[in-house]
Amino acid sequence: MTSAVGHLFTTETGNEALFLATADIARLRETIGTIRSRPEVAGPAPDIAALEELGQELDDLEEAGRPSPAPLVTTPAARAWIELLHEQVRIIAELDGQKRLRLHLTCSACGNAVLVNPVDEQAKAARRTQERRDATTSLLAEDFADFDPDHPFLSAFASVMRHAGQGDSPAAAGARTCESCRGTDFESAVVVFCPGCRARRTETVVVACPDCGYDFRLLAPKTELWGAPDEARHAFNLALLSEGASSFESGLWRKQRAALTEALSGHEDLIALCRCGIPGEVGRYVALLFTSTQFVWARESLVSGTTSGGAPWREVVAVTNPHSSATGFTSGLALHLSGGTSMTFNDFRGVGVALGEHEISFDAEGVRRLAKDLQGKTAISAS
């Protein structure tokens, strides 16, 4: 599913692409939501309308629910926003490392405001956690401390801003109570201090200081976020295979999984993954992967090493039913190659993982039908 894998993005020219994993997209949507609710930028920024459009497209991806090999085409302005927000993560992390980051908490009840230091809150949270651990370990799960020092986004923009504008007991407030009215619900916003003039900056995006002109981008040297389309698709395929492996029948052995991974490229779409056997062997030790350009198999058991193989669909000249095998199976899959060799699989039990957009039947007949379809499409494209 898209929500568990990620998505591909490409430029309008199609010569550059980017893969964002699920966590990256979640952070991006979260940050966009914060900026849309309070569009304040210190310094130059791309057109805010492009950010609105990008946010809507990401929302649509979330609703789609399934991974698609078709990348999302981004406009130059949308690409600029993606790069800017990626840059902001590193800027905020650097400012946090320099102890220049604070949280502005406003009581939702009375409006009383206080500026807090995340480092202090982390220390308080650590003390509260230790106290609870000393009292009873069960309380740790019941009442987890705010400002978890191990939270990956504490110093990375989105997490410390995600409750801005909300009044529903943000994690940033945690066990804090308002000194004025004893309320426990707070609205929060990030505050940073300019390294150039020490001015307090409350904007949701900091590019350049309006007071002294300090360029915050100096804190985050530019990195190449976009790359070749095949590199991005390869990253997408690896993530998709990893997600598929998590629900694969009986799981994938480490070396078996490595063999499948090593065979992948950025020039194919993943279709399906299923477990099966081979003639003359008792046991179903083979993981069989179908992609748009090839089939790949990897065999591994408790008592044997890993063996693997495969071939491009363009080398498959026929797909047949082997009808019988030494183990008595009356239906299976035989793939006949142009060099005169063949590979036979059997003991398909109707269980597998669809990695693409189509539903697949994983009994022997369904697998043969899939192989014939992929072999036929390759033959047509080659003619």
Side-chain angles (χ1 to χ4, degrees):
M1 296 177 64
T2 300
S3 57
V5 178
H7 204 78
L8 287 167
F9 299 80
T10 185
T11 58
E12 288 184 333
T13 59
N15 59 351
E16 291 183 287
L18 167 69
F19 169 67
L20 291 180
T22 304
D24 298 322
I25 293 179
R27 289 195 294 270
L28 188 58
R29 292 181 66 226
E30 191 173 46
T31 303
I32 290 175
T34 299
I35 298 173
R36 290 163 79 178
S37 65
R38 190 162 62 89
E40 301 173 4
V41 181
D47 182 11
I48 194 67
L51 183 68
E52 293 280 354
E53 182 179 349
L54 176 61
Q56 184 58 56
E57 290 175 334
L58 294 179
D59 291 343
D60 292 343
L61 287 179
E62 180 69 17
E63 293 179 4
R66 289 187 66 84
S68 171
L72 177 66
V73 179
T74 56
T75 65
R79 169 179 175 163
W81 270 112
I82 292 175
E83 294 172 350
L84 176 60
L85 297 181
H86 174 74
E87 186 178 57
Q88 286 293 299
V89 170
R90 294 179 294 126
I91 289 174
I92 296 301
E94 180 62 26
L95 289 170
D96 182 50
Q98 295 181 9
K99 315 300 182 187
R100 299 180 187 273
L101 185 144
R102 302 291 184 272
L103 292 179
H104 187 271
L105 302 181
T106 304
C107 177
S108 300
C110 70
N112 185 52
V114 62
L115 203 64
V116 301
N117 189 332
V119 175
D120 295 338
E121 297 301 302
Q122 290 179 42
K124 292 177 183 177
R127 287 195 297 270
R128 288 197 296 271
T129 299
Q130 187 60 50
E131 290 171 359
R132 287 194 295 273
R133 183 179 292 115
D134 293 341
T136 170
T137 56
S138 65
L139 291 178
L140 289 174
E142 180 181 347
D143 186 24
F144 193 73
D146 59 285
F147 288 106
D148 175 11
D150 295 325
H151 194 292
F153 316 131
L154 178 64
S155 61
F157 198 54
S159 68
V160 290
M161 298 199 306
R162 62 182 170 182
H163 293 288
Q166 300 179 7
D168 57 345
S169 299
R176 176 178 294 278
T177 57
C178 176
E179 296 181 0
S180 176
C181 73
R182 310 309 296 171
T184 57
D185 291 342
F186 293 85
E187 299 169 1
S188 65
V190 171
V191 173
V192 298
F193 294 95
C194 174
C197 66
R198 300 181 182 178
R200 180 187 297 190
R201 302 259 53 96
T202 61
E203 295 86 355
T204 52
V205 178
V206 288
V207 179
C209 178
D211 293 343
C212 70
Y214 179 83
D215 190 347
F216 286 94
R217 291 169 295 187
L218 296 174
L219 299 173
K222 189 174 181 60
T223 60
E224 292 300 327
L225 185 61
W226 300 75
D230 61 329
E231 294 175 354
R233 185 170 294 278
H234 186 233
F236 174 78
N237 284 343
L238 292 178
L240 192 55
L241 178 61
S242 178
E243 173 61 21
S246 67
S247 57
F248 183 63
E249 179 189 358
S250 301
L252 280 177
W253 292 71
R254 181 176 60 85
K255 292 182 179 180
Q256 190 178 44
R257 179 171 175 171
L260 297 179
T261 298
E262 290 173 4
L264 294 182
S265 73
H267 301 282
E268 59 193 326
D269 299 330
L270 305 195
I271 307 298
L273 178 67
C274 65
R275 182 172 290 283
C276 60
I278 55 177
E281 184 173 81
V282 178
R284 301 167 66 246
Y285 303 122
V286 176
L288 182 58
L289 175 66
F290 295 89
T291 83
S292 59
T293 65
Q294 63 174 332
F295 73 91
V296 184
W297 61 271
R299 180 197 175 281
E300 184 173 1
S301 71
L302 285 170
V303 295
S304 66
T306 304
T307 55
S308 62
W313 291 115
R314 66 175 180 273
E315 294 182 9
V316 177
V317 295
V319 177
T320 65
N321 181 2
H323 296 298
S324 64
S325 70
T327 54
F329 291 100
T330 58
S331 184
L333 170 68
L335 300 171
H336 304 273
L337 306 182
S338 56
T341 60
S342 64
M343 189 71 205
T344 302
F345 306 96
N346 58 20
D347 204 359
F348 295 96
R349 300 185 181 179
V351 180
V353 182
L355 301 173
E357 299 178 291
H358 304 292
E359 297 297 330
I360 298 171
S361 174
F362 287 98
D363 56 12
E365 182 179 354
V367 172
R368 283 197 305 275
R369 186 166 54 246
L370 173 62
K372 288 179 180 179
D373 182 53
L374 294 171
Q375 187 264 342
K377 288 181 178 178
T378 304
I380 291 173
S381 63
S383 61

